[in-house]
Amino acid sequence: MQKTYNVNVSSTTRLITPREIKRELPITKAATKSVLEGREAIERILRKEDDRLLVIVGPCSIHDDDSALEYASRLAALRAQVEDRLYLVMRMYFEKPRTTVGWKGLVNDPHLDGTYDMATGLRRARKLLLQVVEMGLPTATEMLDTVVPQYLSDLECWAAIGARTIESQTHRELASGLSMPVGFKNTTDGNLQIAVNAFLSARQAHHFLGMDEDGHTCIIATRGNPNGHLILRGGHDRPNYDPVSVIRAEQQLTKAGLPALLMVDCSHDNSGKNPLLQPHVLRSVVQQRMDGNQSIIGAMLESHLEDGNQSPDKGGKLKFGVSITDACLGWKKTEALLKAAREALADEGKRAGRGF
């Protein structure tokens, strides 16, 4: 008899359960403390109880353990120098949405060779998260695959729903049950209303099919996530971080009955996909804050040890500390930029009218 199911499935491979991987790589007391403190600090910023600028900064994607840990050690040292005005969170993206095809991230293909050893990818991602939060650094990621959070989310302090999945009901339901604050990006064409709808939906309770820690399919009931905000990332080669766009975003949120909480993504269409223009965007964010804007609570920067990017498909040895997805701002420029932002925000005189 001819099959009517799995017609286009070539194979299935059973995977280690979330409970098993957490037993192998358990969250420590130090990591628990770091995660809880990170989430609480971000929530305080969203509640306007902490006036520091939240900055999600780090590689476009994590592909190499050593370079990720080197970046984390530098960021931890910088964090201590700017923490009075900036709250730095390390961007640790292990999954990458693709417009068509391409490398889908460390969880999906950790060896960069098309073997899709996801068991190793999950272990490496979890181990890296543990090492970073044990440094005292809060962590941030994009939630893409709806199964992965069961393996990793206990080690993450902030999450994003990306521009390509923001209209997905599944991801809105997922966000409603996450234990950390969530940012909702506008779509790749710049549509902000879809992100507003996602923000609104994720604040509500939902029921949906999911997986528990033992790998069983189950019905998940959520309470709704009260800790959210929008992320402005531009669209169709046009930015939306300027004061007029920010005011329009505030008005859309207010009209929807939502808090006016905005983060500016300094990369993507806000920088014309040129990493060297990210400082220009952050300067505008800081200036708007000094001019009295209270809705911009944060910014995102794509940053790595070295400027630019490289392709993993060209063969040969990859350069250390260079992104294999979006081009990034190098560490020296990142460090100087964040120190300058901290100095500007700490200078009350500049808030009175002088520029950044």
Side-chain angles (χ1 to χ4, degrees), residues 20 34 40 57-58 65 76 81 91 108 116 121 129 131 139 165 185 210 239 252 259 297-298 301 308 319 338:
E20 289 169 334
S34 182
E40 175 58 25
V57 56
D65 303 27
Q81 300 175 49
R91 178 185 168 110
N108 185 272
Y116 306 107
L129 283 166
Q131 290 173 295
T139 55
T165 50
K185 281 196 176 185
Q252 281 185 259
I297 52 86
L301 287 170
K319 297 177 182 177
L338 292 176

Side-chain angles (χ1 to χ4, degrees), residues 89-158:
V89 178
M90 182 166 167
R91 178 185 168 110
M92 299 190 71
Y93 280 35
F94 299 113
E95 303 176 87
K96 295 302 297 179
R98 313 308 306 199
T99 301
T100 52
V101 294
W103 183 67
K104 295 180 183 178
L106 185 133
V107 164
N108 185 272
D109 187 14
H111 308 301
L112 312 179
D113 60 1
T115 54
Y116 306 107
D117 182 4
M118 296 182 199
T120 295
L122 286 167
R123 286 186 174 93
R124 280 179 58 187
R126 185 167 179 85
K127 184 178 179 181
L128 277 170
L129 283 166
L130 270 169
Q131 290 173 295
V132 170
V133 293
E134 285 179 342
M135 293 181 190
L137 268 178
T139 55
T141 196
E142 178 178 342
M143 297 296 179
L144 186 58
D145 188 293
T146 57
V147 171
V148 171
Q150 286 284 22
Y151 291 89
L152 305 179
S153 65
D154 58 320
L155 296 168
E156 295 162 336
C157 303
W158 177 93

Side-chain angles (χ1 to χ4, degrees), residues 3-19:
K3 288 175 59 176
T4 59
Y5 65 96
N6 288 348
V7 174
N8 292 317
V9 174
S10 59
S11 68
T12 58
T13 303
R14 288 196 174 181
L15 194 62
I16 186 174
T17 69
R19 191 179 302 279

Side-chain angles (χ1 to χ4, degrees), residues 124-251:
R124 280 179 58 187
R126 185 167 179 85
K127 184 178 179 181
L128 277 170
L129 283 166
L130 270 169
Q131 290 173 295
V132 170
V133 293
E134 285 179 342
M135 293 181 190
L137 268 178
T139 55
T141 196
E142 178 178 342
M143 297 296 179
L144 186 58
D145 188 293
T146 57
V147 171
V148 171
Q150 286 284 22
Y151 291 89
L152 305 179
S153 65
D154 58 320
L155 296 168
E156 295 162 336
C157 303
W158 177 93
I161 303 300
R164 293 170 179 80
T165 50
I166 194 65
E167 199 165 6
S168 160
Q169 174 173 295
T170 300
H171 288 81
R172 295 175 180 189
E173 293 168 343
L174 170 66
S176 76
L178 289 175
S179 301
M180 71 286 287
V182 179
F184 302 91
K185 281 196 176 185
N186 65 252
T187 60
T188 56
D189 66 358
N191 187 308
L192 189 61
Q193 187 59 48
I194 290 172
V196 171
N197 294 344
F199 186 1
L200 189 62
S201 174
R203 290 167 70 90
Q204 314 306 313
H206 288 278
H207 292 76
F208 55 94
L209 292 175
M211 184 184 78
D212 66 16
E213 286 194 304
D214 294 309
H216 299 305
T217 303
C218 58
I219 299 171
I220 296 177
T222 69
R223 295 189 178 94
N225 191 339
N227 299 304
H229 62 86
L230 291 196
I231 305 174
L232 306 178
R233 50 89 73 202
H236 275 184
D237 297 322
R238 298 186 65 179
N240 61 0
Y241 64 87
D242 59 280
V244 172
S245 295
V246 167
I247 291 170
R248 287 175 175 169
E250 293 171 355
Q251 292 171 340

Side-chain angles (χ1 to χ4, degrees), residues 37-46 54 87 89 157-158 181:
E37 287 179 351
R39 290 177 182 175
E40 175 58 25
I42 296 168
E43 289 171 12
R44 284 177 58 82
I45 289 171
L46 295 181
L54 172 63
Y87 190 77
V89 178
C157 303
W158 177 93

Side-chain angles (χ1 to χ4, degrees), residues 164 233 237 266-277 326-327:
R164 293 170 179 80
R233 50 89 73 202
D237 297 322
C266 297
S267 185
H268 300 101
D269 286 305
N270 275 336
S271 63
K273 300 180 181 178
N274 179 348
L276 299 181
L277 294 182
D326 289 353

